[in-house]
């Protein structure tokens, strides 16, 4: 199911999600350069994401590091408290 916004009602669900995602990137305070691959790392066996690495043509271009209320998280769905973006 797509997220909907009144200004996106004439778009397909996939295009609505893309536009909302693009808007959220700007609101969140960081911008990810063009990429063609991502790698997601998790804390142990939990569903908590540790890092999201963005690559373009095989080169690392950005990394998001997620921090939780309990660090490192040991149970699923730990409260997220901070995201740091770094650019090599």
């Amino acid at each position: 199911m797509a997220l909907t916004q009144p200004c996106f009602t004439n778009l397909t669900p996939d295009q609505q999600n893309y536009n909302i995602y693009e808007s959220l990137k700007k609101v969140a305070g960081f911008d990810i350069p063009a990429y063609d691959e991502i790698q997601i790392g998790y804390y142990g066996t939990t569903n908590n994401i540790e890092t999201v690495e963005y690559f373009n043509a095989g080169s690392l271009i950005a990394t998001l590091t997620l921090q939780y209320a309990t660090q490192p998280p040991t149970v699923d769905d730990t409260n997220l408290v901070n995201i740091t973006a770094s650019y090599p």
Side-chain angles (χ1 to χ4, degrees), residues 27-64:
V27 171
F30 57 87
D31 191 22
I32 303 298
Y35 61 92
D36 59 11
E37 177 186 352
I38 65 171
Q39 291 182 5
I40 300 174
Y42 293 87
Y43 281 101
T45 58
T46 72
N47 67 352
N48 302 300
I49 297 172
E50 181 175 7
T51 58
V52 180
E53 296 178 317
Y54 295 83
F55 295 85
N56 192 5
S59 296
L60 180 65
I61 56 167
T63 301
L64 301 181

Side-chain angles (χ1 to χ4, degrees), residues 7-79:
C7 60
F8 298 146
T9 55
N10 62 334
L11 302 173
T12 66
D14 286 342
Q15 187 65 45
Q16 289 177 21
N17 284 338
Y18 175 79
N19 288 348
I20 293 169
Y21 169 73
E22 289 297 312
S23 296
L24 288 174
K25 284 194 325 187
K26 294 175 186 169
V27 171
F30 57 87
D31 191 22
I32 303 298
Y35 61 92
D36 59 11
E37 177 186 352
I38 65 171
Q39 291 182 5
I40 300 174
Y42 293 87
Y43 281 101
T45 58
T46 72
N47 67 352
N48 302 300
I49 297 172
E50 181 175 7
T51 58
V52 180
E53 296 178 317
Y54 295 83
F55 295 85
N56 192 5
S59 296
L60 180 65
I61 56 167
T63 301
L64 301 181
T65 303
L66 288 72
Q67 295 176 328
Y68 297 86
T70 303
Q71 198 63 30
T74 57
V75 297
D76 287 348
D77 303 321
T78 301
N79 288 333

